[in-house]
Amino acid sequence: MASSEIDALTQALARLPGLGPRSARRAVLHLLKRRETSLAPLLRALERVNEALSICSTCGNVDTIDPCTVCADPRRDDRLLCVVEEVSDLWALDRSRLFPGRFHVLGGRLSALEGVRPEDLSIDMLIGRIARGGVDEVVLAMNATLEGQTTAHYLAERLETFPVRITQLAHGLPVGGELDYLDEGTLAQALRARRPVS
Amino acid sequence: MASSEIDALTQALARLPGLGPRSARRAVLHLLKRRETSLAPLLRALERVNEALSICSTCGNVDTIDPCTVCADPRRDDRLLCVVEEVSDLWALDRSRLFPGRFHVLGGRLSALEGVRPEDLSIDMLIGRIARGGVDEVVLAMNATLEGQTTAHYLAERLETFPVRITQLAHGLPVGGELDYLDEGTLAQALRARRPVS
C-alpha cells in the first residue's frame, strides 16, 4: 500500500501508548499532509531530545539536563524529599504543583513475582542523599498497590535510623468518590483512617 | 517541570490526531525511557520519510516515491480507475484489498460553503488521464455526504463525453446495520435502491 518508509513510521508510532495501528495511520497521514507545520517540528523536537536525553544523577528523573530541571530549581525546598516509584509519578505530582520539595525516583517497586529486589532500585542513592543531611521529611509516595505499599514499608524500615520524619500519602475516598462504586479495599482504608469531624 | 526540549516534543506529539496533552505526555515518557527501542526508531523513520516525502505526480497520493507505490505496482489493472476525495480514502480502500485498479486523489470535494471550486481539485489531471485512454471504468468513490455527492455528479457530467463506464459506490444498509438505529437518509437510500431477491 505505502512505501516501506511510511510503513516503518506507522509502526514506530503504533508502538506508543495510546496509539494503535489505526490511529497511527491517521497520525502519519496528518504528518505527511503537513510537512512544514507538523512533520518538521516533530522531527526537530525528537532530534533535540535524543541529543540531550539524560538520567538525572541526583534524583533519577529523565530530562535533557543533568541535574534535571527539578533538582536545578533553586526555589524548591531541600528539606522535603518525595520518593516515587517511576518518572511518570514524579511528573504527575509535579504537574499538580502541590509539592514544593525535591524528588527521588526509585525506578520501580519491590516485587517478589517480578524478581525486583532492593538492590535493583535506587535505594542506596536515596539513603546517600538523606545521610548527607538537610532533609527533614521524606514523603513515601508509592502507588496504593500491594507492591507499592510493600516498598513503602521496606523504605520506612531502612530510614528508621535517620533523624527524618517519614510520611506517606493519605489513603481513602478519592474526591467525588461514591461509596457504592468504590472497591472494598478503598472502603476499608477510608474506614480504618477515619478522623474526628472537627 | 521538564526542560523546554521535552515540552516542545510533548506539544508536537499533542498536535497529532488521536493524541491530547495527557496521552502525549505518556508517549514522551515512553520514548524517554526507551531511547534505543522506541525513540531512535521513530526518529530514524521520521527522518527517512521527511527526506523522501513526495506527492505522486500521477494520482496525487502521498508517498516516498514518485510515481507512488500504487501507481508503480505492475499487477494493478490500468482499466479500472477509482476517484477519491482524499489520500486517506485511497489508503482506506487500498487496505481492504478489494479494488484491483488504479486511484486518483482529487484533493478535496466541491463546496460552495468552503469556496472549493472545480479548479481547486485535480480534475483536469483526472480528465487528462482518462483522455490518454486505456481506462474502461471510472469508479466515483466520494463520501456519502452532500458535498461528496455533488462532486460525484459534477464529475459524472464532465466525464460524459468519454467512452468510459462511470459507476459509484453503492449506498444502503451497512453490514450489521439495524433499521432501528439507522438515520433516515440511509434508510431512504436503501429503499430507493432496493433490488429483487434473487
Side-chain angles (χ1 to χ4, degrees):
Chain A
M1 165 182 69
S3 69
S4 57
E5 284 97 341
I6 293 182
D7 274 350
L9 177 57
T10 312
Q11 280 164 29
L13 278 173
R15 260 180 257 121
L16 294 181
L19 282 172
R22 205 190 174 89
S23 43
R25 265 196 312 264
R26 264 208 304 275
V28 166
L29 259 171
H30 180 93
L31 290 169
L32 296 182
K33 286 166 86 178
R34 292 164 190 82
R35 187 182 197 163
E36 294 311 319
T37 58
S38 193
L39 199 155
L42 178 59
L43 180 55
R44 270 197 305 274
L46 267 175
E47 275 168 350
R48 288 212 193 110
V49 166
N50 187 45
E51 275 161 26
L53 187 61
S54 63
I55 308 290
C56 177
S57 53
T58 306
C59 77
N61 190 10
V62 211
D63 207 334
T64 52
I65 46 174
D66 181 15
C68 74
T69 319
V70 177
C71 287
D73 186 349
R75 291 161 305 178
R76 286 179 175 266
D77 190 343
D78 286 318
R79 290 166 302 174
L80 283 170
L81 184 59
C82 180
V83 186
V84 293
E85 294 178 20
E86 297 283 0
V87 173
S88 50
D89 302 328
L90 188 165
W91 288 24
L93 272 168
D94 197 49
R95 255 197 320 278
S96 70
R97 291 171 200 276
L98 290 167
F99 187 73
R102 306 283 177 186
F103 286 93
H104 190 85
V105 179
L106 290 178
R109 61 217 63 76
L110 297 179
S111 167
L113 245 128
E114 292 167 32
V116 181
R117 293 155 310 167
E119 54 267 40
D120 298 322
L121 306 177
S122 67
I123 295 178
D124 287 340
M125 236 169 98
L126 170 66
I127 288 177
R129 285 180 79 177
I130 296 168
R132 250 172 274 134
V135 178
D136 289 347
E137 180 179 347
V138 176
V139 183
L140 301 175
M142 270 77 251
N143 287 324
T145 57
L146 180 63
E147 287 162 345
Q149 294 308 303
T150 307
T151 310
H153 281 294
Y154 176 84
L155 286 179
E157 261 177 35
R158 286 282 301 267
L159 299 176
E160 241 176 20
T161 51
F162 294 96
V164 291
R165 204 153 74 93
I166 299 169
T167 56
Q168 64 172 343
L169 296 186
H171 295 164
L173 306 186
V175 173
E178 297 178 52
L179 295 195
D180 199 17
Y181 291 94
L182 284 170
D183 60 295
E184 279 179 40
T186 302
L187 281 179
Q189 287 274 17
L191 205 56
R192 214 178 300 143
R194 66 188 182 275
R195 299 182 311 165
V197 179
S198 56
Chain B
M1 165 181 71
S3 69
S4 58
E5 285 97 339
I6 292 182
D7 273 350
L9 177 57
T10 311
Q11 279 164 29
L13 278 172
R15 260 180 258 123
L16 294 181
L19 281 173
R22 206 190 174 87
S23 43
R25 265 195 312 264
R26 264 208 304 275
V28 166
L29 259 171
H30 180 96
L31 289 169
L32 296 182
K33 285 165 88 178
R34 293 165 191 78
R35 187 182 198 163
E36 294 311 318
T37 58
S38 191
L39 199 155
L42 178 59
L43 179 56
R44 271 197 305 274
L46 267 175
E47 275 168 351
R48 289 213 192 108
V49 166
N50 186 46
E51 276 160 26
L53 187 62
S54 64
I55 308 288
C56 177
S57 54
T58 306
C59 76
N61 190 10
V62 211
D63 208 333
T64 51
I65 47 174
D66 181 16
C68 73
T69 319
V70 176
C71 288
D73 185 348
R75 289 161 306 178
R76 286 181 176 266
D77 190 343
D78 287 318
R79 291 166 302 173
L80 283 170
L81 184 60
C82 180
V83 185
V84 292
E85 295 178 20
E86 299 283 359
V87 173
S88 49
D89 302 327
L90 188 166
W91 288 24
L93 273 168
D94 197 50
R95 257 197 318 279
S96 69
R97 291 172 200 276
L98 291 166
F99 187 73
R102 306 282 176 188
F103 286 94
H104 190 86
V105 180
L106 290 177
R109 62 215 64 76
L110 296 179
S111 167
L113 246 129
E114 292 167 30
V116 181
R117 293 156 309 168
E119 53 268 41
D120 299 321
L121 306 177
S122 67
I123 295 178
D124 288 340
M125 235 170 100
L126 170 67
I127 288 177
R129 285 180 81 176
I130 295 167
R132 249 171 276 133
V135 178
D136 289 346
E137 179 178 348
V138 176
V139 184
L140 301 175
M142 269 77 251
N143 287 325
T145 57
L146 180 62
E147 287 162 344
Q149 295 308 303
T150 307
T151 310
H153 282 295
Y154 176 83
L155 286 178
E157 261 177 36
R158 287 282 300 266
L159 298 177
E160 243 176 19
T161 51
F162 294 96
V164 291
R165 205 153 73 92
I166 299 169
T167 55
Q168 64 173 343
L169 296 186
H171 295 162
L173 307 185
V175 173
E178 296 178 55
L179 294 194
D180 199 16
Y181 291 93
L182 283 171
D183 61 295
E184 278 179 41
T186 303
L187 281 179
Q189 287 274 16
L191 204 55
R192 212 178 302 142
R194 64 187 182 277
R195 301 183 309 167
V197 180
S198 56

